[in-house]
């Protein structure tokens, strides 16, 4: 709970009183015992558009937290705040505080390159670099100088591919282009690439939406295994997937974090009307 | 669909089908018409290209051969080195037209009148004596010996042999008197006059005499100019494009710069020539007619093209690759250098080659900086006076001698070949860089 002291004051007014009156208030426990990332009162504006409003949420070690909600609800935007990828959008403005291991990542002292080495990201569409399989995985360690020599680099590449469950399939064609793999393999390559720099948090933005059910199942198994070492934050449109892979679920609606809770509770006993409508398929 | 629902929905469905059918023929007609327009446009374009090539090639292809006369040359010691010193200066100052004249007199002993003899000597090019001088200077020990040698014939002889001057034309139109034609026929029958490979066209600089005029000087001038252009415009253009596209803040200033670059691309090229004259020559004092200045001017002209094409290429790199790189913790520069630039390279090369092709064909700005001068020597350095291929075409097209018509077409052929080689190099380079994602 290192970060809590500095953010405690903000934590008190998670929802402004006028919005609380309208019923916008995060229901459920936003804090956890063992947080890696602590978000308090995060707001994102794209120009005039208020994309996320006062979102506060903890992301814990060794846990998969799923973000669900209808399209345009701000879950991807929230995810992209955690590795400051929103910085690349000129009109985006982020306020509030997000702390990684107790240090505000939007602090001027925080180096964004270092942050992204600690918070990895897997994207919706598999996007391996147009380089060889080996180079794809070796890229991160190389730019961050994680390997002292070639043998060490080889080792990192192999371990990463092993943990991404891809080693057996590609060990004979490490020198073939990463873009020549199948969609599911490409996505696992992207995961291997991400874990090659040993991040603390892995953000996944609908990692299976471009994949077939079999490839999806493999990725989901992988996510479950990766949980042992990383905190994983996954955005998904599939409620079944959220139910299968996550321990906690956060429901977003039009920029508001409506409800957070254990996945079991959210899917069996949602407390907010909007959550219930969404998971029972009344809209979304 | 079950039978019931099909029969139930029959009426409105049939109505729609009839409507679609009624419109169908009109749609197909419109399509056929559109295709016909397209084919007509392509055919029109192709026919003009074909006309261009036919006209240039048909007048220009004879340039590869040139009339040469076989002469028995004796390097008399009396003429070239009376005191036997072996000093190149003495040898070089000898009268090299004498052995040629002597040889012609030997061939035509019946020609005795002075005026006729002068006409006879005129069948051999003035360039022949320079050729002899060069040979003798290279090997001074040949003084006193004899050799048979193919020497350049006059351009009129050449044109007659190639059939470009009609034998049945009146003598004053032909530029050759009846006697001259008769001599030419005698020489040809004796096997001492024939069309041989035109070496001098591909190795010499410009000349007042068409038979001696070569394209090599202009070719080297163009190559040097383009070298300067490429070396300057590609790195500067790419750097500017990368900065504007990837690093510069998007604000009024960058918008203003972008508008100005786009406008610069549309500025008439002669204006760049004026700018080059005022800045590079007047202000910086660089030499006139130099490929260096030509290259600088063409760089100014080419830069906007390269910048615009490079920016388009950078914009075309999928954002997913950028996000992947940034998400891995690559810095902005690493993202650009490792991922964006390699992917944009083929497009940038295309832009560069389009710019270079335009620069190669440009003559107007070069006129302003003096590259239109009559220059005989082949340039050996960036500051040597020089001309360029399109300017050479323009100069020859302007010359009255009939043989220059052939040279003009020949020069255009060389220009096109140069362009082809350049484009080929670009295609090969592009394939090397091309990657799929």
């Amino acid at each position: 709970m290192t970060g809590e002291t500095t953010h405690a004051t903000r934590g008190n007014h998670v929802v402004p009183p006028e919005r609380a009156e309208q019923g916008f208030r995060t229901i459920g426990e936003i804090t956890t015992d063992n947080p890696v990332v602590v978000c308090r009162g995060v707001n994102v504006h794209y120009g005039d558009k208020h994309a996320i409003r006062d979102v506060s949420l903890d992301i814990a070690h060794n846990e998969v937290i799923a973000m669900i909600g209808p399209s345009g609800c701000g879950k991807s935007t929230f995810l992209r705040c955690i590795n400051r990828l929103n910085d690349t959008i000129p009109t985006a403005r982020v306020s509030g505080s997000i702390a990684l291991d107790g240090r505000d990542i939007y602090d001027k002292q925080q180096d964004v390159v270092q942050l992204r080495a600690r918070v990895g990201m897997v994207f919706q569409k598999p996007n391996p670099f147009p380089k060889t399989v080996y180079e794809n995985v070796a890229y991160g360690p190389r730019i961050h100088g994680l390997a002292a020599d070639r043998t060490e680099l080889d080792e990192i590449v192999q371990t990463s591919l092993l943990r991404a469950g891809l080693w057996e399939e590609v060990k004979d064609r490490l020198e073939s282009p990463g873009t020549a793999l199948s969609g599911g393999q490409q996505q696992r390559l992207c995961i291997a690439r991400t874990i090659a720099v040993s991040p603390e948090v892995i953000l996944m933005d609908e990692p299976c939406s471009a994949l077939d059910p079999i490839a999806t199942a493999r990725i989901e198994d992988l996510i479950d295994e990766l949980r042992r070492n990383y905190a994983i934050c996954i955005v998904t449109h599939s409620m079944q997937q959220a139910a299968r892979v996550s321990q906690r679920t956060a429901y977003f609606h039009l920029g508001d974090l409506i409800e957070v809770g254990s996945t079991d509770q959210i899917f069996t006993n949602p407390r907010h009307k909007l959550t219930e409508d969404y998971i029972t398929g009344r809209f979304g | 669909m079950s039978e019931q629902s099909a029969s139930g929905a029959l009426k409105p469905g049939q109505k729609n089908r009839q409507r679609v059918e009624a419109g169908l023929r009109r749609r197909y007609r419109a399509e056929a018409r559109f295709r016909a327009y397209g084919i007509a446009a392509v055919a029109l374009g192709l026919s003009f290209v074909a006309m261009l090539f036919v006209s240039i090639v048909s007048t220009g292809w004879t340039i590869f051969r040139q009339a040469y006369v076989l002469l028995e040359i004796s390097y008399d010691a009396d003429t070239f080195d009376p005191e036997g010193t072996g000093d190149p200066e003495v040898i070089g100052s000898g009268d090299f037209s004498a052995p040629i004249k002597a040889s012609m007199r030997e061939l035509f002993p019946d020609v005795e009148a002075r005026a006729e003899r002068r006409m006879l000597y005129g069948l051999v090019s003035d360039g022949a004596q320079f050729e002899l001088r060069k040979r003798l200077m290279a090997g001074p020990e040949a003084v006193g010996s004899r050799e048979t040698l193919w020497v350049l014939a006059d351009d009129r002889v050449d044109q007659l042999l190639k059939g470009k001057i009609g034998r049945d034309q009146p003598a004053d139109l032909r530029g050759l008197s009846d006697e001259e034609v008769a001599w030419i026929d005698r020489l040809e029958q004796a096997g001492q006059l024939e069309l041989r490979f035109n070496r001098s066209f591909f190795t010499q600089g410009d000349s007042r005499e068409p038979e001696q005029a070569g394209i090599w000087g202009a070719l080297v001038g163009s190559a040097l100019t383009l070298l300067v252009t490429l070396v300057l415009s590609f790195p500067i253009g790419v750097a500017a494009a990368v900065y504007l596209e990837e690093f510069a803040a998007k604000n009024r200033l960058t918008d203003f710069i972008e508008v100005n670059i786009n406008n610069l691309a549309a500025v008439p090229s002669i204006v760049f020539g004026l700018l080059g004259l005022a800045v590079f020559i007047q202000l910086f004092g660089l030499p006139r007619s130099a490929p260096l200045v030509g290259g600088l001017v063409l760089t100014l002209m080419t830069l906007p093209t390269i910048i615009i094409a490079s920016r388009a290429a950078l914009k075309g790199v999928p954002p997913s690759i950028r996000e992947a790189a940034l998400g891995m913790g690559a810095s902005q520069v690493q993202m650009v250098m490792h991922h964006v630039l390699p992917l944009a390279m083929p497009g940038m090369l295309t832009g560069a080659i389009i710019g270079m092709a335009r620069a190669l064909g440009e003559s107007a700005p070069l006129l302003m900086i003096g590259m239109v001068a009559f220059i005989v020597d082949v340039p050996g350095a960036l500051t040597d006076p020089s001309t360029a291929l399109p300017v050479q075409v323009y100069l020859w097209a302007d010359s009255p001698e009939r043989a220059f018509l052939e040279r003009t077409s020949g020069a255009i052929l060389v220009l096109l070949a140069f362009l082809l080689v350049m484009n080929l190099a670009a295609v090969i380079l592009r394939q090397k860089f091309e990657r799929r994602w």
Side-chain angles (χ1 to χ4, degrees):
Chain A
M1 299 289 274
T2 38
E4 276 306 81
T5 47
T6 48
H7 303 294
T9 48
R10 285 182 192 175
N12 290 337
H13 49 93
V14 167
V15 179
E18 73 276 8
R19 304 242 326 283
E21 281 161 25
Q22 294 163 16
F24 286 111
R25 179 186 183 83
T26 304
I27 298 178
E29 197 53 55
I30 59 164
T31 57
T32 58
D33 297 337
N34 192 15
V36 199
V37 180
V38 176
C39 310
R40 289 293 175 267
V42 176
N43 282 279
V44 179
H45 295 259
Y46 290 128
D48 292 336
K49 189 174 172 259
H50 201 166
I52 314 191
R53 283 184 282 237
D54 267 320
V55 170
S56 299
L57 186 65
D58 285 3
I59 296 166
H61 272 301
N62 308 336
E63 176 192 79
V64 178
I65 179 164
M67 320 248 170
I68 58 170
S71 296
C73 67
K75 52 197 190 306
S76 288
T77 300
F78 177 66
L79 200 68
R80 293 163 67 98
C81 289
I82 300 172
N83 68 347
R84 285 181 61 178
L85 211 56
N86 280 332
D87 290 15
T88 58
I89 302 165
T91 56
R93 214 153 28 82
V94 181
S95 60
S97 82
I98 300 176
L100 177 65
D101 274 343
R103 279 195 56 196
D104 191 344
I105 62 167
Y106 280 89
D107 192 87
K108 282 202 175 62
Q109 304 278 308
Q110 173 66 50
D111 188 84
V112 70
V113 166
Q114 207 223 355
L115 170 73
R116 288 179 191 150
R118 293 173 64 192
V119 183
M121 185 154 186
V122 177
F123 296 85
Q124 181 171 4
K125 204 177 132 237
N127 56 356
F129 300 126
K131 297 175 188 281
T132 64
V133 171
Y134 183 93
E135 284 302 316
N136 260 286
V137 184
Y139 184 68
R142 209 169 253 163
I143 58 171
H144 296 301
L146 300 183
D149 52 28
R150 179 77 190 196
T151 27
E152 204 176 328
L153 191 61
D154 286 348
E155 215 176 281
I156 295 178
V157 169
Q158 186 177 353
T159 354
S160 309
L161 285 170
L162 272 170
R163 283 162 105 179
L166 194 61
W167 176 251
E168 286 305 318
E169 291 157 63
V170 300
K171 64 179 176 192
D172 298 323
R173 43 178 181 154
L174 289 175
E175 294 308 314
S176 62
T179 41
L181 301 177
S182 74
Q185 287 173 328
Q186 286 189 19
Q187 195 61 299
R188 275 180 282 146
L189 179 62
C190 292
I191 293 174
R193 178 177 73 186
T194 306
I195 58 185
V197 293
S198 314
E200 291 155 54
V201 183
I202 300 178
L203 310 174
M204 295 186 171
D205 191 356
E206 300 180 40
C208 301
S209 65
L211 305 181
D212 66 50
I214 295 167
T216 302
R218 294 213 56 169
I219 303 271
E220 285 177 5
D221 289 346
L222 177 59
I223 291 171
D224 206 44
E225 264 172 54
L226 291 174
R227 178 163 67 91
R228 275 186 253 151
N229 298 300
Y230 309 101
I232 295 174
C233 190
I234 180 171
V235 165
T236 177
H237 267 135
S238 155
M239 280 174 279
Q240 290 85 345
Q241 184 171 63
R244 282 193 297 264
V245 300
S246 71
Q247 285 74 52
R248 277 168 82 221
T249 298
Y251 174 68
F252 283 75
H253 184 86
L254 298 176
D256 290 297
L257 178 54
I258 302 293
E259 185 168 352
V260 190
S262 77
T263 301
D264 284 345
Q265 177 256 310
I266 292 282
F267 281 98
T268 55
N269 186 22
R271 284 156 61 191
H272 197 286
K273 180 84 171 57
L274 285 169
T275 319
E276 189 185 342
D277 286 353
Y278 183 71
I279 62 161
T280 52
R282 235 162 276 172
F283 67 86
Chain B
M1 206 184 265
S2 71
E3 298 246 332
Q4 261 186 334
S5 65
S7 59
L10 192 75
K11 281 212 164 153
Q14 205 155 33
K15 204 172 160 191
N16 272 355
R17 209 173 338 158
Q18 279 167 352
R19 274 187 191 163
V20 170
E21 260 164 32
L24 223 50
R25 277 182 54 199
R26 194 166 38 92
R27 275 198 253 172
Y28 283 131
R29 266 207 310 278
E31 203 159 300
R33 211 163 45 232
F34 188 77
R35 277 174 191 231
Y37 293 153
I39 291 169
V42 171
L44 191 71
L46 278 181
S47 68
F48 277 115
V49 170
M51 265 157 62
L52 173 83
F53 272 90
V54 165
S55 87
I56 291 171
V57 172
S58 65
T59 46
W61 72 276
T62 47
I63 197 68
F64 290 100
R65 298 171 80 70
Q66 180 77 20
Y68 284 81
V69 192
L70 185 67
L71 292 181
E72 172 102 28
I73 302 291
S74 86
Y75 302 106
D76 286 342
D78 292 346
T79 320
F80 295 109
D81 197 7
E83 279 143 47
T85 53
D87 182 3
E89 228 169 271
V90 178
I91 297 174
S93 61
D95 178 12
F96 283 86
S97 64
I100 295 167
K101 286 176 181 166
S103 177
M104 287 301 274
R105 276 198 305 273
E106 251 172 69
L107 282 172
F108 296 94
D110 50 324
V111 181
E112 281 169 352
R114 260 190 86 180
E116 285 199 328
R117 277 201 172 158
R118 198 177 300 140
M119 253 160 52
L120 182 66
Y121 301 151
L123 294 184
V124 178
S125 164
D126 286 346
Q129 44 181 305
F130 301 115
E131 174 74 16
L132 291 190
R133 182 169 184 271
K134 222 162 70 188
R135 288 179 72 85
L136 201 59
M137 299 294 277
E141 64 281 353
V143 171
S145 69
R146 295 168 74 86
E147 66 173 334
T148 46
L149 196 66
W150 286 100
V151 298
L152 258 181
D154 192 64
D155 59 303
R156 293 166 304 146
V157 177
D158 174 65
Q159 295 295 295
L160 188 78
L161 248 59
K162 286 172 179 167
K164 306 232 166 178
I165 298 179
R167 280 164 193 273
D168 43 1
Q169 278 179 330
D172 52 341
L173 260 180
R174 205 160 53 187
L176 285 165
S177 67
D178 291 339
E179 293 100 314
E180 283 173 308
V181 173
W183 294 333
I184 291 168
D185 288 343
R186 267 171 64 187
L187 275 173
E188 210 183 351
Q189 273 154 24
Q192 287 188 287
L193 175 65
E194 62 177 45
L195 292 173
R196 301 169 65 84
F197 176 67
N198 190 356
R199 228 187 45 161
S200 65
F201 181 71
F202 296 101
T203 54
Q204 303 292 313
D206 197 6
S207 170
R208 294 275 181 234
E209 299 296 330
E211 76 275 7
Q212 296 173 48
I215 197 69
W216 185 242
L219 190 67
V220 172
S222 264
L224 289 174
T225 307
L226 284 187
L227 185 76
V228 173
T229 309
L230 182 68
V231 164
L232 290 176
S233 66
F234 190 61
I236 297 177
V238 168
V242 166
Y243 179 75
L244 286 174
E245 198 58 41
E246 303 288 337
F247 295 100
K250 303 275 175 284
N251 54 28
R252 285 227 180 124
L253 182 67
T254 45
D255 283 350
F256 179 73
I257 291 172
E258 183 169 353
V259 167
N260 275 288
I261 289 172
N262 291 343
N263 283 341
L264 271 183
V267 167
S269 55
I270 195 152
V271 177
F272 288 108
L274 271 173
L275 176 79
L277 178 64
V279 175
F280 299 129
I281 294 179
Q282 305 271 40
L283 195 65
F284 296 166
L286 291 174
R288 240 162 280 176
S289 308
L292 176 66
V293 181
L296 286 170
V297 168
L298 293 181
T299 299
L300 293 180
M301 199 197 81
T302 317
L303 263 178
T305 316
I306 294 188
I307 294 177
I308 291 169
S310 298
R311 291 189 69 170
L314 289 169
K315 276 201 187 97
V317 174
S320 64
I321 295 293
R322 294 166 197 273
E323 289 195 329
L326 288 178
M328 286 305 299
S331 66
Q332 191 87 355
V333 174
Q334 282 172 328
M335 175 192 87
V336 171
M337 291 298 168
H338 297 165
H339 303 287
V340 177
L341 212 49
L343 288 174
M345 208 30 110
M348 291 179 165
L349 281 174
T350 308
I353 210 66
I354 290 171
M356 296 301 287
R358 255 190 70 195
L360 174 65
E362 203 55 72
S363 53
L366 301 183
L367 305 186
M368 301 305 299
I369 55 155
M371 285 184 89
V372 71
F374 171 71
I375 287 147
V376 176
D377 293 323
V378 176
L382 291 177
T383 48
D384 285 354
S386 155
T387 183
L389 281 169
V391 181
Q392 189 68 74
V393 169
Y394 162 75
L395 284 171
W396 283 347
D398 212 25
S399 301
E401 286 90 346
R402 184 184 288 259
F404 272 124
L405 183 67
E406 186 191 58
R407 308 262 138 182
T408 307
S409 297
I412 293 172
L413 283 180
V414 171
L415 181 62
L416 291 178
F418 195 117
L419 202 66
L420 209 69
V421 169
M422 232 165 70
N423 282 347
L424 209 67
V427 168
I428 292 168
L429 267 177
R430 233 175 54 183
Q431 271 173 353
K432 231 184 113 173
F433 278 110
E434 192 104 73
R435 282 185 230 190
R436 250 161 273 170
W437 60 82

